[in-house]
Amino acid sequence: QSFKLLGFLDVKSVPCARESVLYGSVGSLVVGLGHFLATSRVRRSCDFAVGGFICTMLGYWFYCRYNLAQQRIRQRMLREGMRNKILFEGTSLDPERKQTGNERSDS
């Protein structure tokens, strides 16, 4: 059973969605309760709590998606490097292979 937030954001399948909602709710609680303890104004504290939820959720969403994109780039580079290692292993194009004087004169 999938859980859709606002009817379109599938929290189970979208990367970073679950963590963003959880951190947003904690941020909402902290900001709302902190404002209430400081001012004792209930309605204004609820407004701050909603704002805290939105800011915390969006902030963590962008942070998480940025890290996910970096991780995917590193995985792609590693995959290409492994494929190139397999392709060029043992050939004259292998960068780890020590070249002797005879092989240098050929190229």
Side-chain angles (χ1 to χ4, degrees):
Q1 182 82 359
S2 66
F3 174 70
K4 292 192 184 237
L5 185 67
L6 300 175
F8 63 91
L9 180 62
D10 190 7
V11 177
K12 279 180 94 173
S13 64
V14 176
C16 300
R18 179 180 179 269
E19 292 85 7
S20 296
V21 171
L22 290 175
Y23 281 119
S25 61
V26 170
S28 168
L29 182 69
V30 168
V31 169
L33 189 60
H35 189 270
F36 177 73
L37 291 175
T39 63
S40 297
R41 296 175 63 188
V42 176
R43 183 176 171 91
R44 185 87 168 156
S45 297
C46 290
D47 294 340
F48 269 79
V50 171
F53 174 78
I54 292 170
C55 290
T56 307
M57 186 180 81
L58 288 177
Y60 187 77
W61 172 268
F62 289 120
Y63 169 76
C64 183
R65 294 297 285 197
Y66 177 75
N67 285 338
L68 187 65
Q70 280 186 331
Q71 181 183 8
R72 286 181 178 166
I73 290 170
R74 285 192 301 267
Q75 285 176 346
R76 187 179 327 122
M77 289 173 56
L78 184 64
R79 198 176 314 120
E80 289 174 9
M82 289 172 61
R83 185 176 59 231
N84 288 340
K85 169 105 173 119
I86 292 169
L87 280 174
F88 299 128
E89 191 172 27
T91 66
S92 62
L93 297 174
D94 188 2
E96 293 181 3
R97 186 174 174 198
K98 302 280 187 208
Q99 292 184 348
T100 62
N102 294 337
E103 290 176 355
R104 285 189 192 140
S105 64
D106 292 340
S107 38

